[in-house]
Amino acid sequence: LIEIEHAILRGSSSTPDVPLISLLLPKFTPSDLRSEFKLLEKEPMVNVCLSCGSSSSPPLSIYRPDTLTADLNATAGSFLPNQCEVDSLYKSISIPEILIWYKQDFGSNEQLLGALAEMVDTNC
């Protein structure tokens, strides 16, 4: 399962911003036949919809090919509003830790917050 998550679904993504963890994650070499299945571009929805067993990831969900986009949107729409918190007094936003680990997949901090706002707005 770790190969599916990190070498296929996160194949083009950044490594998590967690000390030493990137040394343990599998990557396929170009000559490995499995590498033809990896995502070619970063897909931020992986960070919002894939349950990796951490306390900051969404619950397990089933994704079907014919309803994939709707399934991903439903997971994002139910997960993010319960995990993100805005504190207007301190002008801060709390987000799930897994999104901080993979924030490079979104770009800058502003792009991360914009993507999350769009996912919540679109799916709620």
Side-chain angles (χ1 to χ4, degrees):
L1 287 178
I2 196 166
E3 287 181 336
I4 293 171
E5 177 185 352
H6 290 282
I8 294 176
L9 296 176
R10 297 186 190 279
S12 298
S13 299
S14 58
T15 55
D17 189 16
V18 179
L20 302 178
I21 196 85
S22 62
L23 300 174
L24 305 172
L25 298 178
K27 293 287 182 190
F28 295 150
T29 64
S31 62
D32 189 319
L33 295 177
R34 298 172 295 177
S35 68
E36 70 182 77
F37 297 104
K38 77 175 187 174
L39 294 181
L40 299 177
E41 296 181 17
K42 295 177 183 180
E43 177 49 68
M45 283 292 258
V46 169
N47 303 308
V48 176
C49 297
L50 182 68
S51 180
C52 65
S54 73
S55 61
S56 70
S57 68
L60 287 174
S61 297
I62 296 172
Y63 302 109
R64 294 178 176 82
D66 55 328
T67 58
L68 181 60
T69 300
D71 294 341
L72 292 172
N73 287 335
T75 298
S78 64
F79 173 66
L80 289 174
N82 297 319
Q83 298 295 318
C84 298
E85 186 177 316
V86 177
D87 186 330
S88 57
L89 179 64
Y90 292 103
K91 297 182 180 176
S92 66
I93 300 173
S94 298
I95 61 174
E97 191 170 7
I98 195 162
L99 299 181
I100 295 169
W101 297 347
Y102 289 99
K103 67 182 177 186
Q104 293 174 359
D105 289 354
F106 294 89
S108 67
N109 288 343
E110 291 79 14
Q111 289 170 312
L112 167 62
L113 294 175
L116 294 178
E118 185 176 315
M119 287 178 202
V120 170
D121 185 49
T122 301
N123 301 302
C124 293

